[in-house]
Amino acid sequence: MSIPSTAAQFATLAAEGGEHAGNHESLSPYLTGGGALFALLLLLWITTRFNRDR
C-alpha cells in the first residue's frame, strides 16, 4: 500500500465521518471532565504526599 493511496483512503474516511460525530449519547462532557479533574487532583495529592521534604 503506497502513501498516496493510503492518504486517499483516509480522506475518504474523513469525508464520510459526518454521520459519526464521535459523541456517544451516554458520554456526558461534565462527567468526563469531572472525572479527569478528580484523577489529576488525586495524582497531585499523591505526589505532594511523597514529596514532604520540600
Side-chain angles (χ1 to χ4, degrees):
M1 189 178 288
S2 66
I3 293 176
S5 67
T6 305
Q9 287 178 352
F10 279 136
T12 305
L13 182 64
E16 293 173 355
E19 61 205 26
H20 305 291
N23 294 333
H24 198 270
E25 296 89 27
S26 66
L27 288 177
S28 168
Y30 295 111
L31 183 63
T32 305
L37 178 64
F38 175 75
L40 288 172
L41 287 175
L42 179 65
L43 287 172
L44 180 64
W45 182 79
I46 290 170
T47 302
T48 56
R49 295 303 105 194
F50 280 116
N51 233 356
R52 288 187 183 261
D53 58 337
R54 290 187 179 201

